[in-house]
Amino acid sequence: MKRLFAWATAIAGALFFFLPLLGTFEFSLRARRGVYSFDAYRSVLADPQFQETFLYSVAMALATIVVGILIVTPTVFWVRMKL
C-alpha cells in the first residue's frame, strides 16, 4: 500500500509540474491561427535585443557560479580543518 501511494504521489507531482509546461509549449506553437509552427521561436531568436539579453544572463549565471565557488570552497575547507 505504501508503495502504491508513493508511485501515485510521484505521478501526481510529475503531472503537476509538466502539464503546465506542456500547455505553455503547445500554446507557443500556435503563433499562426490553426497551424502549429515555430514562428514565435524564430522571431524571438532572431531579435538582436533578445540575443544580447540572453548572453548577459548567461554571463551573470557563470559569474554567480564562480563567485559562489570562490566563497564556499575556502569556507568548507576552513570548517573541515578547524572544526
Side-chain angles (χ1 to χ4, degrees), residues 5-21:
F5 181 72
W7 276 106
T9 304
I11 290 171
L15 288 174
F16 179 78
F17 285 109
F18 287 116
L19 280 179
L21 290 174

Side-chain angles (χ1 to χ4, degrees), residues 49-72:
Q49 187 171 359
F50 172 79
Q51 294 171 0
E52 181 182 332
T53 305
F54 183 74
L55 289 175
Y56 180 75
S57 294
V58 169
M60 289 297 106
L62 293 174
T64 302
I65 291 169
V66 169
V67 169
I69 289 172
L70 291 175
I71 290 172
V72 170

